[in-house]
Amino acid sequence: MGTGAAADKSLPAEREARAALMRAADVGDPVMGRLVARYGAVKAVQAIRARALPPEFIDQETHNDRPQSHLTARLNAWHARLAASNPLADLEAGASHGARLIIPGDAEWPTQLDQLGPSRPLGLWLHGTADLRFACLKSVAVVGARSATAYGVHTAAEFGAGLSESGWAVVSGGAFGVDGAAHRGALAAGTPTVAVLACGVDICYPSSHDALFAAIRDQGVIVSECPPGVHPTRARFLIRNRLIAALSRGTVVVEAALRSGALNTATHALTLNRHLAAVPGPVTSRMSDGCHRLLRERKAICVTSPEEMIDLVGVLGDDLAPHSRAPAVARDKLNDVTKRVLDAVPARGGAGPATIAVAAGVGLDAALSALGGLAAAGYIERAPDGWRLRKHTASYRKAPEAAALDLPPVAEDSDPTQDPPFPDEDDLPTLDDPGGHERHKQQ
């Protein structure tokens, strides 16, 4: 795509022509995109000024029930806007604010934007220290509701910080709620963050984010396809979402209602065959209904941590998320026979070895072996009627991690001196243990 533009990319005229066309056409205009892709920006400007589009282009655009009157109306709008444009003034105004215009073919141009086809931006205005193309090589879009809940803001900040700490850039829209929290989280960890705006890079919207945008310019980059001085509109917010999805390897929706604009970004991600993930929220929260719908319709993958998102979008084998495990206690390390014997020991009163062996379903020798080890480890204690679960642990230290070793299998002729690991304090039964009481009643 854009062979004509590629041939002229080294000429200042191409950059000026694209700056002019960014004034003439609406952002993401696919008709303008096809015109520039076929003829280049310079020839497109000449055709619009002459109000004479190439005949073959007119034939191409007016087939499939698209009347020529629509193309004529669009040409007239382009002509009027182009006549009022001043691309050199735009370039000077951008430079005065520290901004720069990049176009396809520049070293900083992210080539993944080519997947947008005719909706690819004619150029991008950048303001910041980070290299856009390099920052987006490993990037994740974090999007969500503007009126986010405390849960959404916290989760977005956690994702922003976690992704940034792992060397992944965060791409978002710089808005209130989830966007701002994700940017702040990324800034705290030090990796560049990318804010894609629906207005000129010299416009601070929302205005209360002036400090945030200043921090992003210092550590990341602000991006817009709108010329300097252009203010946001609802339509521009929706159209810019395609850039957020296209710049990143994948998109995670942290929190979104059913009519959230974040779902529009999710749709663009799916259209571009990018990874799409969603964070579940409380089932009572309407602000998570959009996320839950994505998950229910199997359009998105459920993620609950930055590591899981990196696992989704990262390199196979290099960015795997760790498996979550339940907290381990010393009792988990007991072998099967010893666990059965311990379960058969009553919490109150006491039971003899023979009774415990019958309740556990093991031989008497195996029960004696296990009882000796359990007593040495502090799980059980002697009672007038036999054995019972130990009620107090003050005289027994908590087992170090090294003590929680797998026991050898207990056989009928096993050595009764084999001791199981010391238990954790929270793992020992108490006087209020209903399970132990029931076991005692069974004896």
Side-chain angles (χ1 to χ4, degrees):
M1 174 176 179
T3 56
D8 296 328
K9 65 179 183 295
S10 62
L11 299 177
E14 178 74 13
R15 195 175 304 275
E16 294 173 16
R18 285 181 176 268
L21 294 176
M22 291 171 73
R23 286 284 185 183
D26 294 328
V27 292
D29 186 339
V31 180
M32 177 63 78
R34 286 189 289 268
L35 179 65
V36 174
R38 187 163 183 176
Y39 303 101
V42 175
K43 291 184 178 180
V45 168
Q46 294 171 351
I48 294 170
R49 283 176 175 165
R51 290 192 182 182
L53 297 176
E56 62 273 17
F57 181 77
I58 295 175
D59 293 340
Q60 171 188 324
E61 292 296 318
T62 55
H63 75 292
N64 295 333
D65 300 326
R66 286 182 291 187
Q68 186 172 345
S69 59
H70 288 181
L71 183 60
T72 302
R74 186 164 303 198
L75 175 60
N76 291 336
W78 290 346
H79 180 271
R81 294 175 181 175
L82 188 63
S85 68
N86 187 341
L88 289 177
D90 284 342
L91 292 171
E92 292 174 358
S96 67
H97 287 91
R100 59 193 183 275
L101 175 65
I102 64 170
I103 62 176
D106 285 345
E108 197 175 354
W109 182 263
T111 55
Q112 62 265 39
L113 293 179
D114 296 348
Q115 296 180 16
L116 291 171
S119 295
R120 182 184 71 169
L122 297 170
L124 290 175
W125 288 94
L126 310 181
H127 194 184
T129 59
D131 183 286
L132 179 63
R133 183 174 182 272
F134 181 77
C136 292
L137 289 177
K138 287 180 60 177
S139 62
V140 171
V142 182
V143 298
R146 287 179 172 83
S147 54
T149 65
Y151 165 81
V153 170
H154 172 79
T155 303
E158 289 289 324
F159 267 77
L163 290 166
S164 184
E165 287 173 352
S166 298
W168 288 75
V170 171
V171 181
S172 197
F176 287 129
V178 167
D179 289 11
H183 287 306
R184 291 186 179 94
L187 290 169
T191 300
T193 184
V194 179
V196 184
L197 305 186
C199 56
V201 293
D202 59 333
I203 301 295
C204 183
Y205 185 89
S207 58
S208 59
H209 276 184
D210 54 346
L212 174 61
F213 289 168
I216 293 175
R217 287 192 293 268
D218 289 340
Q219 187 173 307
V221 61
I222 293 177
V223 181
S224 177
E225 57 185 318
C226 297
V230 172
H231 289 268
T233 64
R234 177 176 175 80
R236 291 187 182 121
F237 276 115
L238 294 176
I239 295 171
R240 71 89 193 261
N241 287 342
R242 79 195 196 286
L243 297 183
I244 296 176
L247 285 171
S248 55
R249 286 196 191 178
T251 296
V252 55
V253 184
V254 172
E255 190 176 49
L258 292 177
R259 290 181 57 84
S260 173
L263 299 185
N264 176 258
T265 308
T267 300
H268 286 298
L270 292 173
T271 302
L272 294 167
N273 293 319
R274 298 289 201 275
H275 295 288
L276 178 62
V279 178
V283 296
T284 55
S285 174
R286 291 188 176 182
M287 294 308 299
S288 290
D289 284 349
C291 295
H292 296 160
R293 173 175 287 183
L294 290 174
L295 296 172
R296 185 173 64 252
E297 295 176 352
R298 300 184 180 182
K299 293 179 179 178
I301 301 296
C302 177
V303 296
T304 59
S305 68
E307 292 78 14
E308 291 180 355
M309 189 63 196
I310 294 172
D311 188 358
L312 179 64
V313 302
V315 178
L316 184 64
D318 291 342
D319 298 304
L320 297 178
H323 292 289
S324 299
R325 295 182 178 179
V329 295
R331 184 169 180 163
D332 296 336
K333 300 297 184 179
L334 299 176
N335 59 50
D336 183 63
V337 172
T338 306
K339 287 180 181 177
R340 289 161 61 186
V341 171
L342 180 58
D343 288 340
V345 177
R348 294 191 179 99
T355 303
I356 293 173
V358 172
V362 300
L364 181 59
D365 289 343
L368 288 170
S369 175
L371 288 170
L374 289 169
Y379 284 95
I380 62 175
E381 63 184 1
R382 287 193 179 276
D385 297 331
W387 294 98
R388 67 183 177 191
L389 296 177
R390 187 169 185 81
K391 301 180 180 64
H392 305 289
T393 62
S395 61
Y396 290 90
R397 64 182 177 86
K398 184 175 179 179
E401 195 68 27
L405 302 175
D406 288 326
L407 294 175
V410 177
E412 294 292 333
D413 58 349
S414 60
D415 184 358
T417 62
Q418 295 288 340
D419 294 338
F422 284 89
D424 287 327
E425 293 178 6
D426 294 338
D427 196 40
L428 293 174
T430 65
L431 289 172
D432 298 326
D433 178 13
H437 179 63
E438 291 297 321
R439 290 194 297 271
H440 175 59
K441 290 199 298 181
Q442 292 174 5
Q443 303 302 319

